[in-house]
């Protein structure tokens, strides 16, 4: 087991690292916490039904069950009444349903694009193909947006394990206000990147014909940017303006933006850190931040999977249990259903909901999107959901092992993670 740094060791370097690319918060929002597709999908369909100009949707999985069909029908109907509807799905996550999606959302009603298609299994051996689209965002008219961890699939259906009686635990946020334009830009950028291989010849020809090729090139690059300049805040029509930040992780300028935001919040924690994620294998700086928070008296609790979907992912989290529990971090495993939520609470005001797990895939490879909310009422509501989930979970109390087995298992997981990251073109320590 790796030794933890002393409790009084300065954390200046980690704090400075976290502050680079710190989240930009903007006021003037109305936010609503939504649990599962049972709450999210009706809200999304209603927003799409009211759309006047445009709808942008980006998701990892767009399935072909009844819940997905209802969403596809709403999108196609919006397109038929003149709204521009652009949908982008991941080529791996939605590979099995692409044919059905094209039937349900044909052009010109819906402009459907596939991010990094997987035509043959060996194409996954290409480093770029390991970097997937993992967003779950939707923006309507740049006025209302939805950000979270919920794919377009029924809450009770798991692609590996079939139907279950209980819905998986997952969350999203509906936000109304200026930051919705940033969510729209993120979805538009991914859609544009997916569309570029199909129409780059036409785009290059248009650049060659243009009287102002540099200006046109800048407009193309702006479409590909995941993050637009911060919009102006407004409190008009908002009863209680809420401050939010929208974070994306990409493989260009914002490689570690979500990880930095988490670490910065943990480093500043005074009372509690409650973290929920199905896949947990944080890097050394993240683990150090959690341990130091616990050492200075912060209550740190992790809610992880108890009902396992991927054995290796569960093992990756479990090899860290002894180290974390040894420093006073409490770990709970959620057993009533599959856990898919990616949320966190720090003290009584900072809360995040999004698509990013706390593992190398999300923190270093995939395109991810999270929203951070600074609001007491929102944090209290999310805290109530967390407490109910913890009450229905089992606490890990008996993981301490001695001998060679835990050392070998931890080394094996680390070797596998390092090998996978190098396959994806990532070097250096995680």
């Amino acid at each position: 087991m790796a030794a933890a740094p002393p409790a009084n060791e300065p954390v200046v370097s980690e704090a400075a690292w976290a502050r680079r690319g710190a989240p930009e918060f903007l006021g003037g929002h109305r936010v609503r916490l939504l649990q599962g597709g049972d709450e999210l999908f009706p809200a999304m369909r209603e927003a799409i039904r009211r759309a006047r100009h445009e709808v942008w949707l980006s998701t990892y999985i767009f399935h072909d069950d009844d819940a997905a069909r209802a969403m596809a029908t709403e999108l196609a109907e919006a397109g038929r009444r003149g709204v521009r509807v652009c949908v982008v799905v991941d080529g791996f996550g939605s590979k099995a349903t692409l044919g059905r999606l094209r039937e349900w959302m044909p052009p010109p009603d819906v402009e459907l694009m596939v991010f990094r298609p997987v035509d043959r299994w060996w194409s996954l051996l290409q480093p770029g193909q390991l970097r997937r689209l993992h967003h779950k965002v939707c923006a309507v008219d740049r006025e209302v947006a939805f950000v979270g961890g919920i794919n377009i699939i029924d809450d009770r259906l798991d692609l590996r394990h079939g139907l279950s009686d209980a819905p998986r635990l997952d969350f999203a946020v509906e936000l109304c206000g200026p930051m919705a334009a940033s969510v729209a830009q993120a979805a538009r950028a991914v859609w544009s990147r997916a569309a570029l291989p199909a129409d780059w010849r036409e785009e290059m020809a248009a650049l060659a014909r243009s009287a102002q090729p540099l200006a046109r090139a800048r407009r193309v690059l702006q479409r590909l940017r995941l993050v637009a300049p911060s919009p102006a805040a407004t409190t008009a029509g908002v009863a209680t303006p809420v401050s939010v930040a929208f974070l994306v992780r990409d493989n260009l300028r914002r490689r570690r933006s979500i990880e930095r935001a988490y670490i910065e919040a943990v480093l500043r924690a005074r009372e509690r850190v409650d973290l929920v994620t199905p896949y947990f294998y944080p890097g050394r700086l993240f683990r150090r931040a959690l341990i130091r928070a616990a050492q200075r008296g912060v209550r740190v609790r992790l809610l992880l999977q108890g009902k396992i979907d991927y054995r290796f992912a569960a093992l990756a989290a479990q090899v860290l249990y002894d180290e974390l529990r040894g420093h006073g971090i409490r770990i709970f495993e959620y057993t009533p259903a599959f856990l898919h939520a990616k949320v966190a609470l720090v003290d009584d005001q900072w809360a995040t909901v999004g698509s990013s797990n706390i593992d190398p895939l999300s923190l270093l490879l995939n395109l991810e999107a999270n929203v951070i909310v600074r609001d007491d009422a929102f944090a209290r509501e999310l805290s109530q959901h967390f407490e109910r989930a913890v009450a229905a979970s089992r606490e890990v109390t008996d993981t301490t092992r001695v001998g060679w087995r835990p050392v070998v298992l931890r080394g094996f997981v680390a070797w596998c993670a390092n090998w996978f990251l190098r396959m994806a073109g990532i070097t250096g320590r995680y």
Side-chain angles (χ1 to χ4, degrees):
M1 181 186 303
N8 59 355
E9 182 179 330
V11 295
V12 175
S13 59
E14 284 87 348
W17 179 85
R19 281 194 298 268
R20 292 203 298 270
E24 295 184 14
F25 285 88
L26 191 64
H29 294 86
R30 184 173 68 252
V31 299
R32 179 163 61 127
L33 182 66
L34 302 168
Q35 180 173 342
D38 288 348
E39 293 186 3
L40 171 65
F41 297 159
M44 282 180 61
R45 292 197 302 269
E46 178 61 25
I48 294 166
R49 196 172 299 127
R50 294 180 178 181
R52 305 182 308 279
H53 307 295
E54 62 180 22
V55 176
W56 296 92
L57 189 149
S58 173
T59 186
Y60 179 66
I61 295 173
F62 202 129
H63 200 49
D64 60 357
D65 57 12
D66 290 343
R69 181 162 193 165
M71 189 67 68
T73 299
E74 203 67 62
L75 291 164
E77 289 180 355
R80 283 192 287 273
R81 67 173 186 268
V83 176
R84 187 185 184 192
V85 179
C86 297
V87 175
V88 57
V89 301
D90 184 73
F92 182 76
S94 300
K95 183 178 186 299
T97 59
L98 288 177
R100 187 62 59 86
L101 296 180
R102 291 183 175 114
E103 292 177 10
W104 290 347
M105 298 181 288
D109 300 341
V110 177
E111 299 175 63
L112 174 63
M113 293 295 164
V114 181
F115 183 83
R116 291 186 173 155
V118 181
D119 299 324
R120 300 170 181 83
W121 69 266
W122 56 82
S123 64
L124 288 172
L125 299 178
Q126 302 171 14
Q129 288 283 24
L130 298 176
R131 303 167 187 257
R132 307 310 312 180
L133 163 62
H134 204 236
H135 290 180
K136 290 92 177 174
V137 304
C138 177
V140 178
D141 290 340
R142 298 178 176 262
E143 296 172 355
V144 57
F146 302 88
V147 181
I150 303 173
N151 289 295
I152 311 299
I153 184 174
D154 188 276
D155 284 338
R156 293 157 187 82
L157 177 61
D158 183 87
L159 294 181
R160 287 173 55 85
H161 303 279
L163 287 168
S164 58
D165 294 332
R168 66 181 148 268
L169 184 63
D170 212 344
F171 294 97
V173 172
E174 178 187 31
L175 64 93
C176 301
M179 200 61 81
S182 296
V183 180
Q185 174 61 28
R188 178 187 180 185
V190 177
W191 184 93
S192 298
R193 293 181 189 184
L196 193 60
D199 61 8
W200 71 271
R201 294 177 189 273
E202 180 180 340
E203 194 67 60
M204 293 302 103
L207 280 173
R209 294 191 303 266
S210 175
Q212 296 179 312
L214 291 179
R216 186 179 180 91
R218 280 196 294 269
R219 288 195 296 272
V220 172
L221 292 175
Q222 286 171 356
R223 293 204 308 267
L224 300 175
R225 290 181 58 186
L226 278 172
V227 178
S230 296
T234 176
T235 58
V238 181
T240 307
V242 175
S243 179
V244 306
F246 177 63
L247 290 179
V248 296
R249 201 221 75 83
D250 63 16
N251 291 297
L252 298 172
R253 298 178 60 189
R254 292 171 176 81
R255 293 174 179 268
R256 308 190 81 156
S257 58
I258 294 177
E259 183 182 21
R260 285 189 176 113
Y262 266 106
I263 291 175
E264 179 185 20
V266 172
L267 290 172
R268 293 180 176 179
R270 293 293 176 264
E271 296 178 1
R272 68 166 178 176
V273 173
D274 292 329
L275 191 153
V276 184
T277 182
Y279 309 122
F280 182 78
Y281 190 68
R284 56 191 176 88
L285 290 180
F286 204 129
R287 293 199 308 276
R288 187 182 301 170
L290 291 171
I291 289 170
R292 283 179 165 157
Q295 287 175 332
R296 63 177 184 268
V298 176
R299 183 186 64 183
V300 181
R301 295 182 294 177
L302 308 179
L303 180 60
L304 310 178
Q305 278 193 350
K307 189 174 182 180
I308 305 303
D309 55 358
Y310 295 98
R311 290 289 178 187
F312 186 81
L315 176 63
Q318 291 163 4
V319 298
L320 302 178
Y321 281 7
D322 284 351
E323 176 190 9
L324 298 174
R325 291 185 59 251
H327 292 284
I329 296 173
R330 298 178 68 186
I331 302 171
F332 299 84
E333 293 180 337
Y334 185 74
T335 56
F338 288 110
L339 173 68
H340 197 253
K342 302 104 161 96
V343 306
L345 286 155
V346 176
D347 295 336
D348 294 325
Q349 194 178 51
W350 190 99
T352 186
V353 179
S355 68
S356 182
N357 295 295
I358 309 301
D359 70 350
L361 279 175
S362 282
L363 298 179
L364 295 181
L365 294 177
N366 292 338
L367 302 185
E368 304 284 359
N370 273 46
V371 63
I372 302 174
V373 180
R374 290 198 303 204
D375 179 70
D376 292 347
F378 183 88
R380 281 196 301 272
E381 183 181 2
L382 186 57
S383 178
Q384 291 169 1
H385 283 280
F386 179 85
E387 297 298 343
R388 285 196 292 269
V390 165
S393 303
R394 63 169 178 251
E395 184 169 6
V396 177
T397 58
D398 59 350
T399 62
T400 303
R401 302 286 190 271
V402 295
W404 58 269
R405 181 178 172 83
V407 176
V408 171
L409 283 177
R410 183 160 180 169
F412 172 70
V413 170
W415 180 86
C416 290
N418 182 65
W419 174 83
F420 185 85
L421 290 173
R422 289 186 180 277
M423 281 282 294
I426 301 293
T427 59
R429 296 182 65 187
Y430 170 56

